[in-house]
Amino acid sequence: MAALIRDSSTVKVGDGEVTVRGWIQDTRNLGGISFIALRDRYGVIQLTLPKKKIEPELFKTLTTISRESVVAVTGEVKESNQTELGLEIIPSAVEVYSEASTPLPMGVIDKVNVEMDTRLNNRFMDLRKPEIRAIFELKSLMVRLIVEAMEENGFTQVYTPKIVGSGAEGGATLFQIEYFGKKAYLAQSPQLYKQMLMSTGLDRVFELGPAFRAEKSNTNRHVTEFISFDGEFTWINDQEDVMHMIETVIDYVLKGLKERGAKQLEILGKEINIQPTPYPILKYEECLKIVNDAGLDLKDGDDLGTEGEKIIGEYMAEKGKDLYFIAEYPEAEKPFYIMEKDGTPYSYSFDLDYKGQEISSGGQREHRFDRLVARIEKIGLNPDDFTFYTDAFKYGMPPHGGWGIGIDRLLTKMLDLPNVREGILFPRDMQRLLP
Ligand code: ATP
């Protein structure tokens, strides 16, 4: 009986004749006998070809076909104590679906270190490695867990436009596009739209979608397109309500990944550390002191910067904390929509950092129309360009707050990957537009 095998592990001794399909991973020709490793998504199965027992044409095809060719092989399942699965297949027929060209642009199982650029240029090949695929299986699970956690907390999933008429996060990183003779931009974040929804009664919303930033710096944490997980909700008392919501969600995600992603984590040789909630909150002013004590020379009002974030990361790691909030940033450093802390140069905004890197920023928003317009002006923008947004604040807007998390960065930090690009299938940056 020929069986269509989707999962190598479902092939059992006693199955008789089966058909398995996959990629020819490796061939070892030892004269009188040849061994082929056939790989599919689930693993590798051994084809054993004793020369004398295999029809010559079939033997030739299977032992000379190039590595990574895609085939269907029919054969008898036999017990074997030489293989991991405890079985082997003795082929009786082969169908070649696609013969791989040689040489391969990079190996799948070779133990040589391939440059990240080569890997990304040949991502289709890179993804044939189980440990690379595992990253994206975990990312898929992460998104599912986020949706579960948000629904459990009463949030509605929304979709806001990605082609927009004005930016929310500053002009420097806006991608401009031509829109039927008008200027338009790719959305840097769903910020203004999710806030507008706060005036509607859809008072808890979240979005998972692409965000675009024309980042001119080439770092291991910036790309020009990333997936942003945004949340926004009303009736908050202060920004700590927002922090608690984020940590509730992250805690759910970390626990879920540890439990439901155990197989992929094992393939990657990684463990997820679950840090008990609540996560510590450091004030910006406190952080300034820590980084300056460590040798930096930052003034009140300066951005902590990559170096500062790293120092805080090391400081918190010594206290056994991977995840912590840095709260009350200088208002001048933050976008117009955040709420100022009156009587101080600070704001009700925060970042969530993970192992020395910002993964999220959030805070309480300015919901008072006059104050919002004043902030837009203060930052040097023209309120007339934002009436589509500020109108929603004119006719009754509840107090609200929210956050944006780059899920690519979250994944990268969770799995201790050295570069955010490792957590993106086809990353985009200043140099990379293909594949
Ligand atoms: P950074 O200071 O690291 O450039 P940011 O302050 O510009 O980040 P926000 O505007 O606060 O970032 O965006 C919220 C989150 O979105 C960030 O914490 C990060 O997780 C993610 N993010 C922002 N820009 C990028 C980017 N270029 N590449 C990947 N993720 C990003």
Side-chain angles (χ1 to χ4, degrees):
M1 187 195 70
L4 181 69
I5 305 301
R6 290 186 58 239
D7 180 341
S8 319
S9 65
T10 63
V11 180
K12 295 181 300 299
V13 176
D15 278 353
E17 193 163 85
V18 298
T19 298
V20 285
R21 308 201 273 191
W23 289 261
I24 302 269
Q25 178 165 285
D26 199 24
T27 308
R28 279 185 299 142
N29 294 318
L30 308 178
I33 192 160
S34 293
F35 301 103
I36 294 173
L38 187 74
R39 183 189 73 244
D40 71 2
R41 171 179 171 181
Y42 303 94
V44 171
I45 203 160
Q46 180 172 293
L47 312 176
T48 303
L49 295 88
K51 196 167 185 179
K52 285 196 183 132
K53 293 191 184 156
I54 305 278
E55 200 254 311
E57 194 61 25
L58 174 63
F59 186 86
K60 189 165 168 235
T61 306
L62 274 171
T63 53
T64 56
I65 194 164
S66 52
R67 282 209 282 173
E68 296 302 315
S69 294
V70 174
V71 297
V73 174
T74 301
E76 190 79 14
V77 183
K78 290 260 167 28
E79 194 172 349
S80 161
N81 53 15
Q82 310 284 317
T83 68
E84 218 174 289
L85 289 179
L87 55 83
E88 61 192 359
I89 291 175
I90 316 295
S92 54
V94 62
E95 184 180 347
V96 178
Y97 291 128
S98 163
E99 202 168 337
S101 295
T102 53
L104 297 172
M106 57 177 276
V108 174
I109 50 165
D110 309 315
K111 292 273 175 269
V112 284
N113 274 338
V114 184
E115 295 270 325
M116 190 172 72
D117 258 347
T118 309
R119 289 180 33 225
L120 292 179
N121 287 341
N122 300 283
R123 200 53 151 163
F124 64 93
M125 205 78 198
D126 192 38
L127 283 157
R128 292 184 189 185
K129 299 177 197 156
E131 67 276 21
I132 304 294
R133 278 202 312 277
I135 296 172
F136 295 97
E137 287 167 0
L138 288 169
K139 194 171 187 177
S140 165
L141 175 59
M142 173 191 269
V143 169
R144 203 168 329 139
L145 291 161
I146 288 173
V147 173
E148 283 176 15
M150 295 308 279
E151 283 181 347
E152 208 151 283
N153 283 285
F155 283 73
T156 305
Q157 188 163 9
V158 297
Y159 301 93
T160 62
K162 301 304 155 209
I163 301 175
V164 295
S166 58
E169 316 294 344
T173 62
L174 270 176
F175 275 118
Q176 190 177 310
I177 54 169
E178 242 276 313
Y179 193 73
F180 306 111
K182 288 198 202 101
K183 259 194 226 166
Y185 308 96
L186 296 181
Q188 295 163 304
S189 75
Q191 184 64 34
L192 307 186
Y193 291 93
K194 61 177 183 165
Q195 279 192 267
M196 285 156 72
L197 292 175
M198 295 301 97
S199 75
T200 67
L202 275 176
D203 59 2
R204 289 185 164 218
V205 301
F206 76 104
E207 177 163 2
L208 280 155
F212 304 92
R213 307 270 174 111
E215 299 280 359
K216 292 183 193 74
S217 49
N218 194 9
T219 74
N220 65 359
R221 65 201 186 122
H222 289 103
V223 279
T224 51
E225 178 178 347
F226 63 96
I227 300 297
S228 187
F229 158 40
D230 280 80
E232 200 75 20
F233 61 112
T234 54
W235 315 120
I236 62 167
N237 293 310
D238 53 38
Q239 60 165 353
E240 286 202 21
D241 286 349
V242 183
M243 295 189 217
H244 291 317
M245 187 61 77
I246 297 191
E247 72 198 3
T248 303
V249 176
I250 300 240
D251 190 55
Y252 184 88
V253 168
L254 293 180
K255 285 178 178 154
L257 281 166
K258 194 176 174 104
E259 212 173 279
R260 284 147 69 177
K263 202 169 99 193
Q264 284 80 4
L265 287 168
E266 195 189 325
I267 292 173
L268 278 165
K270 304 276 181 185
E271 274 185 34
I272 288 188
N273 177 31
I274 313 282
Q275 180 180 311
T277 56
Y279 301 156
I281 303 172
L282 302 168
K283 290 245 170 96
Y284 163 83
E285 284 182 275
E286 213 178 323
C287 291
L288 209 57
K289 185 167 173 346
I290 296 167
V291 300
N292 284 342
D293 285 351
L296 295 195
D297 182 22
L298 297 186
K299 313 260 171 314
D300 196 359
D302 285 349
D303 186 36
L304 294 175
T306 315
E307 197 50 35
E309 282 177 18
K310 222 171 112 201
I311 293 170
I312 306 286
E314 283 156 12
Y315 174 86
M316 292 307 283
E318 274 172 30
K319 299 185 183 311
K321 304 289 181 193
D322 288 343
L323 284 150
Y324 42 90
F325 293 101
I326 302 179
E328 299 193 7
Y329 273 86
E331 54 92 356
E333 280 293 311
K334 287 286 167 183
F336 59 76
Y337 49 79
I338 63 109
M339 185 180 271
E340 295 177 3
K341 186 176 177 186
D342 284 342
T344 77
Y346 306 111
S347 64
Y348 292 116
S349 67
F350 62 81
D351 283 355
L352 173 64
D353 281 28
Y354 193 4
K355 300 176 187 168
Q357 193 175 97
E358 178 199 320
I359 57 157
S360 174
S361 55
Q364 178 159 13
R365 319 304 190 186
E366 182 51 76
H367 64 277
R368 296 160 296 184
F369 175 77
D370 294 341
R371 294 288 302 263
L372 180 62
V373 171
R375 246 196 93 70
I376 293 175
E377 272 169 349
K378 186 170 169 184
I379 243 154
L381 295 168
N382 182 357
D384 292 345
D385 295 338
F386 291 92
T387 50
F388 77 94
Y389 159 71
T390 51
D391 276 356
F393 291 71
K394 235 177 175 171
Y395 307 101
M397 172 64 93
H400 63 276
W403 69 86
I405 299 183
I407 66 163
D408 317 286
R409 274 198 204 169
L410 173 61
L411 181 77
T412 308
K413 283 286 146 187
M414 216 171 54
L415 301 177
D416 292 315
L417 304 175
N419 195 311
V420 70
R421 290 163 184 77
E422 295 280 359
I424 301 175
L425 282 172
F426 300 104
R428 290 283 171 266
D429 59 32
M430 256 173 97
Q431 278 81 35
R432 186 171 285 284
L433 193 52
L434 293 170

